[in-house]
Amino acid sequence: MRLTFRLILCLPLLLAGHALPALAQSFSPAIKVNDRVITEYELDQRMRMLRLFRTPGDIPAQAEEQLIDDRLRLQAAGELGIEPTPEQITAGMSEFAARANLSADQFLAALRQGGVAPETFRDFVRAGVAWRDVVGAKFGPRVQISEQEIDRAISSGGASGATVQVLMSEIFLPLEEGSEDETRALADRIRRMSADGFARAARENSTAPSAGAGGRVNWVPVSNLSPQLRQVILGLRPGQISAPVEINGQIALFLLRAIEESENRAPTYSAIEYAAYYIPGGRSDQALAQAARIKARVDTCDDLYGVAQGQPEEVLERGIKVPGEIPQDIAEELEKLDAGEVSTSLTRANGQTLVFLMLCGRSFDVSGAVSREGVALDIQNQRLGSFANGYLQQLRSEARIIRP
């Protein structure tokens, strides 16, 4: 994702037409990785490409390390009988170029202006495609993502650490039978509107939760969007409206308001549902023992109705509230809990009543464009990435790397 962000930022450099100074091209061996040779020419080409990508740091050292890793990736692929097809490589090149809002041919032309041969980019993509298949074959079956993990990822704003986030507005138009042409015509008109017009159209026509706010949504990590929408959103400039996109029987349009790379923001909840069951005795041993017994027999807030059956209504309080309506001490406890978890830290009635507090769930204030499948894929890719890094380090430790 950071590479994608840099590609967007460096498009003026790629398209400026200023080729790098020509360097002497030598095909003599520079590094030997097991039985595979890296030539001086390949090093020169990789350095040129990294400079065009505005890669920070020591470019010659990074070029060496990347090419060594690519040799090891291709070796691992060969041992598993994996060889990317020409169609896979072409698709990989197109996918990479699309991150910079270019076709593969346009991207190759821009690289060529900087002195990078098409074969260099093709080899780079080939190693990446092969490695993806290696990692999927070796580690894919080990990665299983639960619904709870997806909920936690959405609530925390995506992956940890720095991330690319977008501030956007959205419109979702239902494609109803018999009125498809009319809906598509409306979408075309919205695409040509100003930002103010987009907001009015959202309030009047959109079916997304953000309609009442003129389509405006909070910051959304790009990793939380489906792969289809990542490409659409990252292809926009701030202030630009996307072409209509068909998603799950609706036509969607997006206005990009801002984009930035930063640390994750705190999650925003539109509503929090919780239950409080009140136990006489405060923090006495008897009351705490009763709370422990209840905790052992309930898994969800619904189970508390059975616990409270036959007792006065006031012993069980359950509701859905916006964050500002929740008492401060309860809100602080709920922040520590996932759905179905319990706290017994609070009391009421001057310490005479123990509060058995359970979080039922949260509603997250996120864009209608957020895809649970996209979030799950992002978690899966992070885990596969951890496996891949460990495996690559193992291959490096076992390899014979010779620099003449």
Side-chain angles (χ1 to χ4, degrees):
M1 186 57 66
R2 292 185 180 183
L3 176 57
T4 300
F5 197 64
R6 285 200 299 270
L7 283 171
I8 294 170
L9 295 178
C10 75
L11 278 178
L13 174 62
L14 284 173
L15 300 177
H18 299 298
L20 295 177
L23 298 177
Q25 297 184 357
S26 170
F27 292 92
S28 59
I31 304 171
K32 190 172 183 180
V33 183
N34 295 328
D35 296 325
R36 298 166 182 259
V37 171
I38 298 171
T39 67
E40 295 284 356
Y41 172 75
E42 289 176 291
L43 281 171
D44 169 50
Q45 285 284 292
R46 182 60 62 97
M47 285 189 288
R48 288 170 180 255
M49 192 165 69
L50 291 178
R51 289 190 179 105
L52 287 175
F53 290 169
R54 288 187 175 175
T55 305
D58 187 337
I59 295 297
Q62 291 190 61
E64 284 192 12
E65 296 305 308
Q66 287 187 12
L67 286 169
I68 290 171
D69 287 346
D70 283 355
R71 291 297 192 273
L72 295 172
R73 292 180 178 115
L74 290 171
Q75 175 184 312
E79 291 172 354
L80 292 177
I82 293 173
E83 176 58 44
T85 65
E87 293 77 16
Q88 287 178 305
I89 296 173
T90 299
M93 293 169 66
S94 298
E95 179 184 349
F96 194 95
R99 299 173 187 173
N101 203 28
L102 296 173
S103 69
D105 288 341
Q106 290 172 325
F107 196 84
L108 287 171
L111 290 177
R112 193 179 293 112
Q113 290 176 354
V116 177
E119 293 77 16
T120 296
F121 181 53
R122 187 173 291 108
D123 290 343
F124 167 74
V125 171
R126 174 173 170 257
V129 171
W131 184 243
R132 179 186 62 194
D133 290 346
V134 168
V135 173
K138 287 185 69 69
F139 306 111
R142 302 188 193 179
V143 179
Q144 302 294 327
I145 311 301
S146 69
E147 293 298 314
Q148 291 78 12
E149 289 173 305
I150 297 173
D151 288 338
R152 284 195 294 269
I154 293 176
S155 72
S156 64
S160 60
T163 182
V164 176
Q165 300 187 102
V166 291
L167 189 64
M168 62 184 182
S169 298
E170 63 186 1
I171 292 177
F172 280 75
L173 306 174
L175 274 175
E176 298 176 348
E177 188 175 354
S179 61
E180 294 94 336
D181 292 343
E182 184 177 326
T183 301
R184 290 191 170 92
L186 172 60
D188 286 336
R189 291 197 298 274
I190 292 173
R191 189 187 182 190
R192 295 190 292 271
M193 291 180 177
S194 64
D196 289 341
F198 190 95
R200 287 194 299 272
R203 283 189 286 268
E204 295 170 2
N205 303 283
S206 181
T207 61
S210 58
R216 295 171 67 92
V217 295
N218 291 316
W219 287 95
V220 178
V222 173
S223 62
N224 279 15
L225 302 178
S226 67
Q228 176 190 14
L229 288 185
R230 293 183 198 187
Q231 180 174 334
V232 171
I233 299 302
L234 290 176
L236 299 176
R237 300 183 302 276
Q240 188 176 15
I241 298 173
S242 73
V245 183
E246 192 164 330
I247 302 172
N248 298 328
Q250 299 186 84
I251 290 182
L253 299 101
F254 303 93
L255 166 64
L256 180 63
R257 288 159 31 219
I259 182 171
E260 71 174 22
E261 185 175 20
S262 67
E263 295 299 316
N264 283 331
R265 299 169 181 272
T268 304
Y269 309 124
S270 57
I272 297 175
E273 182 179 7
Y274 67 93
Y277 178 72
Y278 299 107
I279 302 173
R283 300 195 62 78
S284 66
D285 291 344
Q286 183 179 359
L288 290 171
Q290 182 181 352
R293 289 193 296 271
I294 295 172
K295 183 177 180 180
R297 59 181 282 204
V298 300
D299 296 312
T300 69
C301 290
D302 290 342
D303 296 333
L304 289 174
Y305 290 115
V307 175
Q309 188 174 8
Q311 302 177 51
E313 288 187 6
E314 58 267 22
V315 304
L316 178 61
E317 177 187 0
R318 180 175 177 178
I320 301 175
K321 297 182 179 181
V322 299
E325 296 176 347
I326 300 173
Q328 183 64 31
D329 58 346
I330 289 181
E332 291 176 357
E333 287 300 307
L334 291 174
E335 287 180 1
K336 307 171 186 176
L337 305 179
D338 289 328
E341 292 185 340
V342 170
S343 166
T344 55
S345 299
L346 304 179
T347 62
R348 289 292 185 266
N350 294 320
Q352 299 304 305
T353 300
L354 180 67
V355 181
F356 185 95
L357 182 67
M358 175 177 275
L359 176 64
C360 308
R362 299 181 177 97
S363 297
F364 305 115
D365 183 7
V366 295
S367 164
V370 168
S371 159
R372 291 183 68 82
E373 293 78 12
V375 175
L377 179 62
D378 194 57
I379 298 172
Q380 181 186 52
N381 286 340
Q382 288 184 42
R383 293 191 182 169
L384 287 175
S386 296
F387 283 123
N389 290 336
Y391 183 44
L392 187 59
Q393 290 304 312
Q394 176 188 335
L395 294 176
R396 267 185 165 269
S397 67
E398 298 172 351
R400 298 184 309 278
I401 302 173
I402 302 173
R403 292 175 171 84

